[in-house]
Amino acid sequence: MRHQIFLLFACTIIAIFASCSSYVSAEVVEHSFHVQNRTITRLCRRQVITAVNGSLPGPAIRVNEGDTLVVHVYNLSPYNLTIHWHGVFQLLSGWADGPEFATQCPIRPGHSYTYKFRITGQEGTLWWHAHVSWLRATVHGALIIRPKKGHSYPFPKPCREVPILLGEWWNANVVDVENAALATGSAPNNSDAYTINGWPGDLYPCSVNQTYKLKVKHGKTYLLRIINAALNNQLFFKIANHKMKVVAVDAAYTDPYVTDVVVTGPGQTTDVLLTADQLPASYYMAANPYTSAAGVLFDNTTTRGIIVYEEALLASTPIMPILPAFNDTPTAHKFFTNITGLVTSPFWNPPSRKVDEHMFITIGLGLTACGKSRNATCGGPNGQRFSASMNNASFQFPDKISMLEAFFYNVGGVYTTDFPDKPPLKFDYTNPNNSMNPAIIMTKKSTKVKKIKFNSTVEIVFQNTALIGIENHPIHLHGFNFHVLAQGFGNYNPAVDRKKFNLVNPQERNTIGVPVGGWAVIRFRANNPGVWLMHCHLDVHLPWGLATAFVVENGPTLSTTLPPPPPDLPKC
């Protein structure tokens, strides 16, 4: 008996010390973001942009798992502002998530706000960006989470870690571009260039000296942390004559997957290992768009940077990779479906076998009435306004109080909890003959959310529609990772497609590209109380309404209850 008591006491002491040591190893990482306008030169002209600390991209944040991140944001710009920490779970810190009128009111010009939250249960590459209007075109940066001190990657330690941020550039004020489109109800102007780490590359005018360069040593391996920070385009990314090994997506480790092309949608991140194993020379890295919507104009240009071997004897013309065609859906689908989760990684959790909430959500682009005037004419098809929707509900954000404040203080009239679990009308969703069908194309604005119980498991079938063309939609869920169980083309057929579910080692993500003219099935556990936005990460579609939110109820204990808001939370 005494022996058992001693063992119990010893185990308790060891557990306490282990717990204490984990907190001792954690740190508080502090940054200051000064957000203001500055003038920079790209594509032969000077352009005013909004940037953080004067840089494009903004500063990279590096933390270890378990650290607490504190970021003081000073809004010195002329625009309302919030910062979203894309992919961070925000466990019981939902007030820091950032989307305007979802979890907070905006930081007004001349004001400041401090974000504070702990990063736990995640390792890999995430990013931060503005979550107001189109400001994230230039207000963004990498958020890199390394393993806790004393822990290691589930792959050999690389020689160096390099963020690769893929972006878009407009020869215009991006806020004006968005506002002009919203005023007329039409599509916005396309970007003028793509960028790698803020530089267009030498295929664009006046950009020979505005090309990102990465020096490497022969035989060394590098961890490229690829982030798609573009507003409206999915991208193919290749490096001439080199293979890449995918080891993580959206800060979730994957089974190593060797590929010569990475496909990434807006908001997605991909960690790859690059070994400098070719003849010492110069090689282009390049990115061009993957655009699946037929007949839609887009920025069909290519950005590129240069990888230079230190051992190269002479300066030579870099070798250019052969990039996929802009509409190469088979290549995109092969990449996305070949990724699986690493079940031996430190934070792996298998998908729950028991599902509490089943949802079937149609996504696509439709129309809303132009205006109250009978003679009003807008810039969308049939003189109406473009309006995206989920289950024919086109989401409209509140503007007097955030949804999270309404949830916490039980304020009525801000949102309704009647977001439908299935579309109001069943039809042949991906049949092109339904494009512009007047019987199903119109939608109305509303602020409908889905209320779910704490710790319930939610399964969602996303179904693409052909209401106004068909395209790949990158859907981002705030506050959670989800397992991608299956994805395919055409209309989802449960009798056939449920047999394709991967319940053993599915990939985990926070953003998924629902295949063009197809479907995807995800599953997640709602173990974090609060209000969590789910929306298309094409910035052209979010203000059009391709969004909803999950209101996750409080759990049964204090440790599963959303705490009160910070006293300095911005007011509307």
Side-chain angles (χ1 to χ4, degrees):
M1 182 67 179
R2 287 182 180 178
H3 179 66
Q4 290 175 330
I5 293 174
F6 174 78
L7 283 177
L8 179 60
F9 176 76
C11 290
T12 302
I13 294 298
I14 291 171
I16 291 172
F17 272 101
S19 175
C20 289
S21 65
S22 68
Y23 280 99
V24 169
S25 65
E27 297 180 355
V28 175
V29 179
E30 198 162 358
H31 286 262
S32 291
F33 281 7
H34 295 86
V35 188
Q36 59 193 99
N37 284 0
R38 63 163 296 195
T39 302
I40 65 175
T41 300
R42 297 288 189 275
L43 307 186
C44 314
R45 59 179 287 170
R46 290 165 61 81
Q47 178 64 49
V48 176
I49 67 168
T50 305
V52 174
N53 298 351
S55 66
L56 176 68
I61 293 177
R62 293 174 173 85
V63 297
N64 293 98
E65 191 274 327
D67 286 350
T68 296
L69 181 59
V70 178
V71 182
H72 310 284
V73 178
Y74 302 92
N75 186 7
L76 308 175
S77 80
Y79 308 110
N80 290 341
L81 176 75
T82 67
I83 300 293
H84 170 50
W85 314 94
H86 186 111
V88 174
F89 291 155
Q90 299 290 2
L91 291 171
L92 297 179
S93 57
W95 300 104
D97 191 43
E100 181 189 33
F101 294 117
T103 61
Q104 68 169 94
C105 295
I107 307 169
R108 304 295 183 184
H111 291 74
S112 63
Y113 178 59
T114 295
Y115 293 91
K116 182 178 180 180
F117 51 92
R118 187 165 178 249
I119 298 177
T120 181
Q122 296 177 277
E123 294 174 3
T125 304
L126 297 174
W127 63 304
W128 57 266
H129 60 80
H131 213 292
V132 173
S133 67
W134 277 24
L135 286 179
R136 78 173 172 93
T138 53
V139 179
H140 63 253
L143 174 52
I144 296 167
I145 310 169
R146 294 193 176 106
K148 191 174 295 183
K149 291 178 181 178
H151 296 245
S152 60
Y153 297 123
F155 47 79
K157 185 178 179 180
C159 167
R160 183 181 166 198
E161 301 177 16
V162 184
I164 301 291
L165 285 91
L166 308 176
E168 283 184 276
W169 175 265
W170 276 260
N171 282 331
N173 182 308
V174 292
V175 175
D176 293 342
V177 172
E178 181 192 25
N179 287 340
L182 292 176
T184 62
S186 59
N189 291 338
N190 291 315
S191 57
D192 296 289
Y194 301 106
T195 58
I196 296 177
N197 287 345
W199 300 108
D202 56 9
L203 287 175
Y204 295 99
C206 307
S207 298
V208 171
N209 296 321
Q210 295 189 336
T211 301
Y212 173 72
K213 292 184 179 180
L214 172 63
K215 285 190 175 182
V216 299
K217 289 185 178 181
H218 190 272
K220 298 294 185 180
T221 297
Y222 299 80
L223 177 60
L224 304 186
R225 298 179 177 273
I226 303 168
I227 300 168
N228 188 341
L231 258 65
N232 295 316
N233 280 281
Q234 298 162 95
L235 297 166
F236 293 112
F237 176 83
K238 293 189 74 171
I239 300 172
N241 291 10
H242 288 75
K243 299 281 189 180
M244 294 171 281
K245 183 184 291 184
V246 178
V247 292
V249 294
D250 293 359
Y253 292 117
T254 65
D255 287 318
Y257 168 52
V258 177
T259 177
D260 67 344
V261 60
V262 167
V263 192
T264 176
Q268 292 183 327
T269 70
T270 308
D271 291 356
V272 301
L273 294 175
L274 169 71
T275 299
D277 56 3
Q278 297 299 301
L279 290 175
S282 296
Y283 300 86
Y284 278 118
M285 63 174 78
N288 69 341
Y290 164 49
T291 303
S292 53
V296 176
L297 297 177
F298 62 97
D299 177 3
N300 191 15
T301 61
T302 300
T303 180
R304 60 188 187 183
I306 304 174
I307 290 180
V308 182
Y309 279 67
E310 291 185 3
E311 297 84 357
L313 298 178
L314 298 172
S316 59
T317 301
I319 300 169
M320 180 67 182
I322 299 174
L323 289 161
F326 72 87
N327 58 353
D328 190 348
T329 291
T331 292
H333 190 66
K334 176 184 177 182
F335 177 83
F336 286 131
T337 55
N338 276 1
I339 297 172
T340 51
L342 183 64
V343 300
T344 57
S345 60
F347 304 112
W348 169 262
N349 283 304
S352 174
R353 298 301 180 105
K354 177 180 177 295
V355 177
D356 304 295
E357 297 277 358
H358 289 272
M359 303 182 72
F360 185 95
I361 299 179
T362 53
I363 55 176
L365 187 59
L367 301 172
T368 55
C370 179
K372 295 180 180 180
S373 170
R374 180 176 298 179
N375 297 322
T377 302
C378 291
N382 302 333
Q384 306 294 346
R385 305 180 72 88
F386 278 117
S387 185
S389 66
M390 292 185 173
N391 280 350
N392 205 40
S394 188
F395 194 79
Q396 181 169 282
F397 285 90
D399 58 7
K400 299 291 190 284
I401 185 176
S402 75
M403 292 188 290
L404 187 57
E405 288 177 281
F407 164 71
F408 186 84
Y409 293 112
N410 198 27
V411 178
V414 178
Y415 57 77
T416 60
T417 56
D418 57 343
F419 181 83
D421 288 341
K422 58 183 180 180
L425 178 68
K426 186 175 181 179
F427 59 98
D428 190 358
Y429 305 112
T430 56
N431 188 336
N433 292 329
N434 275 321
S435 182
M436 303 303 298
N437 183 339
I440 56 178
I441 200 172
M442 301 301 291
T443 181
K444 292 183 179 179
K445 295 293 183 182
S446 60
T447 312
K448 296 181 179 182
V449 305
K450 170 71 174 178
K451 195 171 186 178
I452 51 181
K453 294 186 180 300
F454 176 81
N455 223 26
S456 59
T457 296
V458 182
E459 182 180 290
I460 303 175
V461 177
F462 292 114
Q463 176 65 63
N464 210 325
T465 60
L467 297 178
I468 300 182
I470 53 175
E471 63 179 313
N472 183 299
H473 292 279
I475 302 297
H476 171 47
L477 176 61
H478 289 228
F480 306 97
N481 274 3
F482 49 76
H483 292 101
V484 181
L485 303 187
Q487 47 193 313
F489 297 101
N491 295 332
Y492 174 74
N493 181 349
V496 175
D497 295 327
R498 290 192 72 85
K499 298 175 183 177
K500 304 173 185 176
F501 282 14
N502 179 358
L503 297 172
V504 177
N505 63 342
Q507 60 179 287
E508 284 186 80
R509 303 210 74 126
N510 61 58
T511 306
I512 182 173
V514 180
V516 54
W519 52 269
V521 183
I522 69 169
R523 191 179 291 181
F524 70 97
R525 188 161 65 95
N527 58 357
N528 194 13
V531 175
W532 306 104
L533 198 62
M534 182 175 71
H535 63 94
C536 181
H537 219 267
L538 296 176
D539 264 28
V540 66
H541 286 169
L542 178 55
W544 286 348
L546 214 167
T548 186
F550 290 101
V551 175
V552 180
E553 297 177 342
N554 284 315
T557 65
L558 187 63
S559 63
T560 56
T561 299
L562 180 72
D568 60 340
L569 190 73
K571 306 298 180 185
C572 293

